[in-house]
Amino acid sequence: MAVEHADDKKTSGTTGPDTTRRTSDADATRATGGEGTSPEPTPTPGAGPQDVDTKIAAAVAAAEAAAPKTGETVRLDSWIWAVRLVKTRSMGATACRGGHVRVNGERVKPAYTVHVGDEVRLRGEGRERIVVVKRLIRRRVGAPVAAQCYIDNSPPPPPRAAVAPAGVRDRGAGRPTKRDRRELERLRGLFGQGNPEEQ
């Protein structure tokens, strides 16, 4: 008899802990339009300052997690790869060997030890990147985390219209003649000026 009354209470939906759980599940189902899933808050278009602060705090925490242990040093090629200035570590080492990376105005080798406050200049991909080391990390991290590891003093990239157009030839036209090469050099602004990298 007592068992029947307990079942009646559950099915009637008037009292008991099971009733509140069923009601909240039903509300969640109605709110989401699905079965048994809880409603998730929809992101607002304009994130508030608290959201930005929490994202920055999370990025800083991730950067600190990627930091070297006490007493360990960080190589230059490893650091510029970790903060996403180059795509691979071997590309960073090649850029250092080729003289495309300078630290505090001096050409350095890939094994150079980076310190906080160093100014790193990296030439590549048609522009120069100038960054000041803010945090030392050894593992590659995401772009938001990488942005917390340096101060970017780079000049803005040149507009696309300012970049010299590459010579486009018709398919099957063969190699360019001397006349074609002279016209291409005139287009690029190199005619009569020599190679700008040698100056």
Side-chain angles (χ1 to χ4, degrees):
M1 200 66 147
V3 174
E4 291 174 8
H5 290 298
D7 289 338
D8 291 340
K9 287 182 182 179
K10 285 182 184 177
T11 55
S12 65
T14 54
T15 59
D18 292 329
T19 316
T20 56
R21 184 176 52 80
R22 286 183 186 170
T23 308
S24 63
D25 289 346
D27 291 341
T29 305
R30 263 187 254 114
T32 58
E35 292 202 16
T37 56
S38 59
E40 295 183 6
T42 56
T44 55
Q50 291 180 343
D51 295 337
V52 175
D53 291 342
T54 55
K55 287 179 183 177
I56 291 173
V60 169
E64 288 174 356
K69 296 177 183 174
T70 308
E72 290 183 342
T73 59
V74 179
R75 290 171 51 114
L76 176 63
D77 60 347
S78 177
W79 186 83
I80 61 177
W81 166 75
V83 298
R84 307 180 80 84
L85 295 178
V86 291
K87 291 182 181 178
T88 64
R89 183 172 169 177
S90 61
M91 284 176 70
T94 305
C96 292
R97 282 191 219 100
H100 301 292
V101 182
R102 293 178 180 266
V103 178
N104 300 325
E106 297 179 13
R107 293 172 69 172
V108 291
K109 294 183 179 180
Y112 177 84
T113 303
V114 183
H115 302 287
V116 175
D118 285 347
E119 182 190 64
V120 178
R121 290 176 176 258
L122 172 69
R123 272 187 304 130
E125 298 180 3
R127 64 177 292 205
E128 184 177 28
R129 298 292 304 270
I130 304 169
V131 297
V132 177
V133 180
K134 199 161 97 174
R135 278 194 179 81
L136 298 177
I137 59 172
R138 300 183 76 172
R139 294 194 312 268
R140 191 168 173 92
V141 292
V145 180
Q148 299 299 317
C149 297
Y150 59 82
I151 301 166
D152 196 355
N153 296 331
S154 306
R160 290 186 177 227
V163 177
V168 179
R169 293 180 54 79
D170 294 332
R171 192 177 186 108
R175 292 179 58 186
T177 62
K178 283 187 177 181
R179 183 179 187 180
D180 293 336
R181 283 198 297 271
R182 283 195 298 268
E183 288 175 4
L184 285 173
E185 287 173 353
R186 252 188 240 113
L187 277 175
R188 292 181 179 145
L190 300 176
F191 186 76
Q193 298 175 6
N195 192 347
E197 293 181 0
E198 294 176 358
Q199 293 176 354

